[in-house]
Amino acid sequence: KVYYESPDRPERRGLSLARWGGLGDQKHPVEFSGDTGGTWEELQFQICMTPVSANAGCCYWSHDLGGFFAGDDGEIYARWLQFGAISAVFRLHSCGSIDKRPWFWQDYAQKSARGSFDLRSVLMPYIYTAAEKLYRESLPFMRPLYYDFPEDEQAYVTPQEFLLGDGMLAAPIAEHGRGKSFVSTKVVYFPSDGWAQYFTGEGYDKGFSLVSADLYEFPLFVKKGYPLVLGQTGKRMADLPNELTVMIFPTEGDGTGESELYEDDGISKAYQEGKCARTPFSYQREGCTHFITIGETKGDFEGKYSARPIKVVLRNVASYTAVKFQDQDVQAEFDPEKRTLTVALADTLPGDLVIEASTVEPKDIAAAETKRRQALLDEGDKEGKLLVAGCGLGKTSESAYGYRGRDVYRFFPGGIVEEATITEEGSEDSVTLNFKPGSTEPIVLPPSRSGEKTLRFSELELKY
């Protein structure tokens, strides 16, 4: 508290980095979670502990990303940094002979780490806006699902996923993957319809799903229709971006979404006197017409940009016929491979952008991304190819109170394949299972089967 209220720099915001000091200490963030080991179990615990700490008002946990003690596994290191990129504090620290700086690691770990640092940079406007809402409304930006979905019983037993601000949901990977690209599959519960994978655009609706990701992506989702305001990579993550990107995953059918960007100088206490700026954004879909409104920025502070360009990126686009800003035709860049339509707007803001565009069918996106990940697996990994297709046996840890809960095994009978016939190898109770596409209700396996962490198949055929 003394350091937080240091008289040496009274014009600056107070901050302390310390171990958890008990109830009341959340008023002087940031907290430190202690000396951790570089293991999967430790990472799993941190993913659970961090969002539920909001129940005690502690919303700024920082971690020794990668583990403080030992830990020379590049895969664990890379997955830990992915979790750090969407946490309150992105901080690496270690002791001994294992250096946690990215350039000392294997090439694949370095590549993944760079992706995490870049992700952190571009998400800073969104994270900072969510942090201001925490300051103003005491609503944590890393929070358990039951904060927003209190009537959903399943929201209380999802310790390995959390909401990130008002428009995102995260379920960081904390288990070993398969193949050279470490493709890992995780059971994710979606508390409502209309989510899109940030990296790939794959769509998910309410219920359980098997979600796969290689080492250069992870389960991170955006509400469809939500205008996600992003920054850019730079020398310092906290710098005000001189260009903004508004990324939107269209709703399925007609729908709406809205968001706000909050900014201030990031250093002084002038925000307490109203020295800040807010910019509203909205999205509406009617048929194949997409209306994006960039509202007027209200408020002022030292260092605020008087004008800056904005890129609007519409994802999951199949084709487009017209783009207008303020009723004037404007140029757009369409990338059919990435399924993106990008419109670069100059400083003539605010205004209304209208895009006439059709969107890609969700099943087509899922099939394309499934095939891409299956190609990263070992040729003989039949079980892995089944899991990547959204079928097969998935394990999740469930507890109403924390990480060390019960393991639950669910058998997913559907996924995205047209048909799949699987014959289990070997035992007296060998069975043949026929799969059909689109099934989203997993089967919770009985105790006699729940101990089997893997299934080996003698025969596998997938048809899309």
Side-chain angles (χ1 to χ4, degrees):
K1 185 176 187 296
V2 172
Y3 183 82
Y4 180 84
E5 297 178 351
S6 170
D8 296 335
R9 297 190 301 174
E11 77 286 354
R12 298 291 185 96
R13 304 178 192 182
L15 183 70
S16 66
L17 174 59
R19 289 177 175 84
W20 173 240
L23 295 177
D25 190 49
Q26 75 274 9
K27 291 179 287 187
H28 316 109
V30 171
E31 287 78 35
F32 158 54
S33 63
D35 297 338
T36 55
T39 66
W40 288 118
E41 291 75 18
E42 192 69 56
L43 175 56
Q44 290 168 1
F45 175 76
Q46 301 289 5
I47 292 173
C48 167
M49 180 273 290
T50 304
V52 299
S53 297
N55 295 337
C58 180
C59 305
Y60 280 93
W61 279 114
S62 74
H63 309 294
D64 293 347
L65 298 177
F68 180 71
F69 294 113
D72 58 357
D73 188 320
E75 183 187 7
I76 295 178
Y77 173 80
R79 293 299 190 189
W80 213 315
L81 262 61
Q82 289 175 345
F83 169 59
I86 54 172
S87 297
V89 182
F90 192 39
R91 178 182 63 81
L92 292 80
H93 183 54
S94 63
C95 73
S97 60
I98 306 299
D99 198 313
K100 291 300 190 292
R101 288 175 290 182
W103 47 90
F104 285 101
W105 288 76
Q106 306 96 327
D107 289 345
Y108 67 84
Q110 287 189 41
K111 179 181 176 182
S112 180
R114 179 175 290 277
S116 294
F117 275 87
D118 287 347
L119 176 65
R120 178 68 170 190
S121 294
V122 300
L123 283 178
M124 276 303 294
Y126 175 77
I127 292 174
Y128 197 72
T129 298
E132 190 275 337
K133 189 170 185 177
L134 165 60
Y135 162 78
R136 180 167 38 90
E137 299 183 8
S138 297
L139 182 64
F141 56 86
M142 293 179 71
R143 55 185 183 266
L145 269 58
Y146 50 78
Y147 272 54
D148 292 48
F149 302 92
E151 303 298 325
D152 188 341
E153 293 184 6
Q154 191 61 45
Y156 293 84
V157 286
T158 54
Q160 291 296 300
E161 60 185 277
F162 52 87
L163 296 169
L164 181 66
D166 294 336
M168 304 186 80
L169 184 152
I173 296 289
E175 290 189 5
H176 182 59
R178 316 164 83 99
K180 293 182 180 180
S181 293
F182 303 99
V183 178
S184 187
T185 304
K186 185 167 187 174
V187 176
V188 178
Y189 177 73
F190 295 92
S192 61
D193 289 339
W195 297 88
Q197 225 281 25
Y198 173 87
F199 298 96
T200 66
E202 293 165 274
Y204 297 90
D205 289 325
K206 182 176 173 60
F208 292 96
S209 291
L210 273 178
V211 177
S212 298
D214 62 32
L215 197 62
Y216 312 108
E217 60 189 24
F218 65 98
L220 179 64
F221 309 93
V222 184
K223 284 183 182 179
K224 292 181 179 179
Y226 183 88
L228 182 64
V229 183
L230 305 171
Q232 58 201 143
T233 58
K235 292 183 178 180
R236 183 173 176 269
M237 290 184 182
D239 287 341
L240 286 174
N242 57 23
E243 179 180 289
L244 295 174
T245 297
V246 181
M247 179 186 294
I248 302 171
F249 293 91
T251 56
E252 294 299 318
D254 294 351
T256 62
E258 60 182 22
S259 67
E260 181 183 71
L261 171 67
Y262 170 87
E263 296 176 290
D264 58 31
D265 64 28
I267 298 174
S268 76
K269 298 179 182 178
Y271 70 94
Q272 297 176 345
E273 302 171 357
K275 300 294 184 180
C276 61
R278 301 179 188 275
T279 308
F281 299 85
S282 68
Y283 167 84
Q284 182 176 350
R285 178 175 184 175
E286 296 179 1
C288 289
T289 305
H290 308 264
F291 302 90
I292 298 103
T293 299
I294 302 168
E296 180 183 358
T297 299
K298 296 183 178 180
D300 197 12
F301 59 91
E302 185 176 352
K304 174 193 168 187
Y305 284 103
S306 58
R308 60 186 160 184
I310 290 182
K311 287 184 179 179
V312 176
V313 179
L314 196 63
R315 300 281 298 271
N316 294 347
V317 174
S319 63
Y320 79 102
T321 56
V323 180
K324 292 180 180 291
F325 182 68
Q326 300 292 62
D327 294 324
Q328 300 294 319
D329 291 334
V330 293
Q331 295 295 317
E333 181 180 343
F334 177 53
D335 188 330
E337 184 176 346
K338 295 181 179 180
R339 304 181 287 267
T340 60
L341 182 70
T342 301
V343 183
L345 301 175
D347 302 336
T348 56
L349 305 171
D352 297 317
L353 178 67
V354 181
I355 299 174
E356 298 288 345
S358 61
T359 54
V360 185
E361 289 292 329
K363 63 181 181 62
D364 293 333
I365 299 175
E369 294 302 323
T370 294
K371 292 176 183 178
R372 178 182 64 83
R373 294 194 189 101
Q374 286 179 337
L376 300 174
L377 299 172
D378 297 335
E379 187 61 34
D381 188 358
K382 297 177 180 179
E383 180 193 14
K385 292 187 177 183
L386 183 68
L387 292 171
V388 169
C391 310
L393 188 66
K395 183 190 78 169
T396 184
S397 173
E398 292 193 355
S399 169
Y401 307 103
Y403 158 64
R404 292 180 176 84
R406 60 192 180 106
D407 284 342
V408 177
Y409 292 82
R410 291 186 171 87
F411 194 78
F412 289 78
I416 63 105
V417 294
E418 293 289 342
E419 181 180 346
T421 303
I422 295 91
T423 304
E424 189 178 350
E425 186 176 26
S427 63
E428 294 181 358
D429 60 345
S430 177
V431 293
T432 298
L433 303 171
N434 291 299
F435 289 73
K436 295 297 179 185
S439 177
T440 58
E441 292 299 326
I443 302 169
V444 179
L445 298 183
S448 61
R449 297 273 299 183
S450 64
E452 298 184 21
K453 297 183 179 180
T454 60
L455 292 178
R456 301 190 182 280
F457 304 107
S458 60
E459 184 179 333
L460 171 64
E461 181 181 4
L462 298 180
K463 294 180 182 179
Y464 299 94

